[in-house]
Amino acid sequence: MANLTFSMENYLEAVYELSLGGSGARVSDIAARLDVSKASVNSAMNALHQRGLVTNEKYREIYLTEEGLNVAKVTAEKHHVLQTLLHQVMGVDEAQAFQDACAMEHVISQQSTDKIRSFLADKGIDVM
């Protein structure tokens, strides 16, 4: 989906990773993960709900819609590929690699991500 801000993609990625166990994500968990206030999370979830990317009912867990899940998976994949490259291949400190990958995931093309994934696979490095 076009016209998502970096922040919106980060919120979708957080919901995705927090709900991998099958349950939804709680506002408090998203806030803690992204180091933002609950009010910021509520505002972002309302905006994402209006775009059809999450289900957001007051006092309920937040779930990704099918479209939201697709966007979140792509963002998370880019993050993991970049973090793996930076940390395991280039030797960047793990915390710094995480932070840098978080910034880069929003601007890298899918083609470049695929090439990096192939490069890592050729070196026997599994991304996920």
Side-chain angles (χ1 to χ4, degrees), residues 78-88 94-95 97-98 101:
K78 288 179 177 183
H79 181 102
H80 292 294
V81 167
L82 290 165
Q83 184 177 357
T84 300
L85 174 73
L86 292 169
H87 180 61
Q88 292 186 24
E94 188 171 4
F98 179 88

Side-chain angles (χ1 to χ4, degrees), residues 42-53:
N42 281 321
S43 177
M45 292 305 109
N46 287 333
L48 292 170
H49 177 73
Q50 289 175 355
R51 292 173 177 260
L53 299 171

Side-chain angles (χ1 to χ4, degrees), residues 11 29 37 43 46 93 103 128:
Y11 278 104
D29 293 335
S37 70
S43 177
N46 287 333
D93 173 80
M128 288 185 157

Side-chain angles (χ1 to χ4, degrees), residues 84 88-89 116-127:
T84 300
Q88 292 186 24
V89 175
I116 295 169
R117 181 186 289 286
S118 293
F119 171 80
L120 294 170
D122 289 346
K123 296 212 167 283
I125 300 171
D126 185 34
V127 175

Side-chain angles (χ1 to χ4, degrees), residues 1 4 8-9 14 17 30 38 42 47 64 70 76 110 120:
M1 167 173 249
L4 291 179
M8 288 176 168
E9 288 181 355
E17 292 183 348
I30 298 167
K38 291 179 188 177
N42 281 321
L64 295 169
N70 291 335
Q110 189 60 51
L120 294 170

Side-chain angles (χ1 to χ4, degrees), residues 63-105:
Y63 293 90
L64 295 169
T65 63
E66 187 173 337
E67 186 176 2
L69 179 61
N70 291 335
V71 173
K73 279 184 177 179
V74 168
T75 304
E77 174 202 17
K78 288 179 177 183
H79 181 102
H80 292 294
V81 167
L82 290 165
Q83 184 177 357
T84 300
L85 174 73
L86 292 169
H87 180 61
Q88 292 186 24
V89 175
M90 300 177 78
V92 175
D93 173 80
E94 188 171 4
Q96 187 64 55
F98 179 88
Q99 186 176 14
D100 290 346
C102 191
M104 296 164 61
E105 69 194 18

